[in-house]
Structure formats: structure tokens, C-alpha cells
Amino acid sequence: SIMDHNQDSHMSSDTSGVGGEPPARLKVRLLGGVEIILDGRRLRAFNSLRLQRFLALIALRRDLQHRSRLAFELWPDSDERQARTNLRKLLHEFRHSLPDTGEFVEIDNEIVRWIPTGQAEVDVLRFREALAAGDLELAARVYSGDLLPACYDEWILDKRGKLRTEAHGALMRLAEETAKLNDHKGTIRYAQRVIDLEPTEEVAVRIQMEAHLALGNRGAALRAYHRFAEVLERELAVGPGEAIETIY
């Protein structure tokens, strides 16, 4: 599944320093599951959803956040005084949970700011950087699932949807490119990841069936078709399109 695909590779083999730079001390994984690793040790305190949401909020925005605005955003139903108190308690817990906090996050009486030059690596940011650089294979390795899957804050749902769309586009391009190169195993792998994201994506199923057939695996092609037909019937109450029926 997409959440199992190379979960650890993007936090290990691809995290060494570039150009002689030392590897990041802090590794923040927010895609497909949450892991906060400092100096090779997982920080168990970040099993707390509250801390995960807060770290994601400041790391993904990266710019300066005024404490009053953060407090209102995190506790919109509380009055200003109570919201500021809640934030103060959260920041105390955050500092206690993340050793050497000051290397990664600037916190004072008025602002909170993720330090972009700090020795930290965030998988979401690496994914976006890989896309911007046109490195689709790296982007595919880094994207191991939905952003903060256990969290349903509105801003996270919005960000999650955008990242999913970007991952879908990158994986679809990889499936199509490997198909042109007759890399049938690569095509099957990337097409499956598209299908994991969007089970009703007919183009991906069609490309995958053709790759299976090119490898002489008629049974696998038929199974892909039947899985797709079942999903379409269950979710949309429609049948497969003409193009995929022709292959079938």
C-alpha cells in the first residue's frame, strides 16, 4: 500500500548531507504517519496529536507566527486570555518534548518561527522541493501517504488534499513515462500507487493492465480489471469505460 511503500527510505538513505553538509539532526515525518527523530532517536512525546499538529503548523508555514494569532487559530472558541494561556502551556510542553528546541524553532514572548536554516528536515518540504526541481522519483519516494492522517483540522484537510493531488500527478507521470520506456515493472508499481490514491482512476488501471500483459501475466491483468470494476460499482454505481473493456 502507499503507506507501506518506502516508509523509511526517505528518512534514511536520502537524508545525508548534500555537498559535504552534515545530515539533519531533526527529521520530521508527517506523511503517511508521524515520526519525529532527533539524532537518530524517535521522540515518543510526539505521539501526542496536539504536539504533531503544532509542529506541522509552524514547520509547514516556516514564516514568523505571532503568538496572539497562533493562540486564536488553535483555540478559536476561547477568549484571548485563555487562548494565550493555552498556547503558553503548549509551548512549555513543546520545549520539554523537543531537546535543543532553539536550534529548530525560535520562540519569544511575541513570536514563534520555524528556523529554515536549522539542522532539520521535513518530508513535506522535501516532497515539494523535489517536485519543483522536477525530480519525480524522489518526490514519489518521499510521499508515503496522507499528511497527518489522524488529524482533521480544516487547514490540514486543505493541505492534505493539495499534497495528494500533487502526488497523484507525479505518480501518473512516472507511470506514463515508464510505460513509454517499456519498464513494465516500474509501470505496474507507479500505477498501483496511483490506484492506491484514487481507486477509480481508469487510466492508471489501463496502463497497469497493459504492463501486466506485456510481461505475459494475463491473470494479473484480469485481477486488476475486476478490482477496478468492483470499486466503480461500489463507489459510483457505474461500469468500466470502453477503452478498458477493450483490453479486458
Side-chain angles (χ1 to χ4, degrees):
S1 74
I2 193 164
M3 290 182 65
D4 293 328
H5 182 84
N6 278 337
Q7 276 193 344
D8 298 318
S9 66
H10 69 287
M11 298 301 287
S12 55
S13 61
D14 290 320
T15 56
S16 57
V18 177
E21 294 178 7
R25 287 191 63 200
L26 179 66
K27 296 173 184 177
V28 178
R29 178 180 164 216
L30 303 172
L31 295 169
V34 179
E35 278 190 331
I36 313 303
I37 299 170
L38 180 65
D39 297 331
R41 183 172 62 89
R42 184 177 178 186
L43 301 182
R44 302 287 176 183
F46 283 89
N47 290 343
S48 159
L49 184 58
R50 182 173 62 256
L51 289 178
Q52 292 174 12
R53 289 161 59 209
F54 181 68
L55 178 58
L57 182 69
I58 58 174
L60 298 187
R61 290 188 177 172
R62 290 193 284 182
D63 54 349
L64 182 148
Q65 304 289 310
H66 288 281
R67 285 175 66 147
S68 55
R69 179 176 174 79
L70 268 178
F72 173 75
E73 192 167 359
L74 291 168
W75 294 277
D77 298 325
S78 300
D79 61 45
E80 184 179 353
R81 183 178 177 183
Q82 184 59 55
R84 296 269 302 198
T85 299
N86 292 344
L87 179 61
R88 190 163 59 249
K89 290 177 179 176
L90 179 60
L91 287 170
H92 176 77
E93 183 183 1
F94 183 76
R95 284 191 180 106
H96 184 72
S97 301
L98 178 61
D100 300 330
T101 307
E103 287 192 26
F104 315 109
V105 185
E106 178 186 354
I107 301 172
D108 66 23
N109 290 333
E110 293 301 323
I111 62 103
V112 178
R113 183 178 72 94
W114 183 259
I115 301 173
T117 55
Q119 280 294 303
E121 178 181 280
V122 183
D123 59 354
V124 176
L125 303 181
R126 293 191 72 231
F127 170 71
R128 300 298 299 277
E129 288 162 3
L131 283 183
D135 191 341
L136 300 183
E137 290 185 4
L138 176 58
R141 285 200 300 276
V142 173
Y143 189 89
S144 61
D146 280 339
L147 172 68
L148 286 175
C151 188
Y152 294 92
D153 289 18
E154 188 174 338
W155 76 270
I156 288 176
L157 291 175
D158 181 57
K159 188 82 170 174
R160 181 185 299 160
K162 289 176 180 175
L163 290 166
R164 243 178 178 263
T165 299
E166 290 171 343
H168 180 281
L171 291 164
M172 197 70 224
R173 279 181 59 190
L174 285 166
E176 291 167 343
E177 288 172 7
T178 50
K180 288 176 184 174
L181 295 170
N182 293 321
D183 174 9
H184 305 306
K185 290 182 179 179
T187 301
I188 291 166
R189 185 173 68 250
Y190 287 126
Q192 186 57 50
R193 293 194 64 197
V194 174
I195 295 162
D196 289 339
L197 278 177
E198 181 47 75
T200 61
E201 177 63 79
E202 180 171 317
V203 175
V205 179
R206 207 164 66 226
I207 288 174
Q208 189 182 63
M209 288 176 68
E210 288 167 344
H212 280 308
L213 291 171
L215 291 173
N217 197 339
R218 186 169 171 272
L222 290 172
R223 286 193 294 275
Y225 170 85
H226 286 300
R227 280 194 301 268
F228 175 63
E230 287 167 10
V231 168
L232 280 185
E233 178 60 36
R234 184 174 66 247
E235 296 191 9
L236 303 175
V238 299
E242 186 177 335
I244 201 168
E245 283 287 351
T246 302
I247 299 172
Y248 174 68

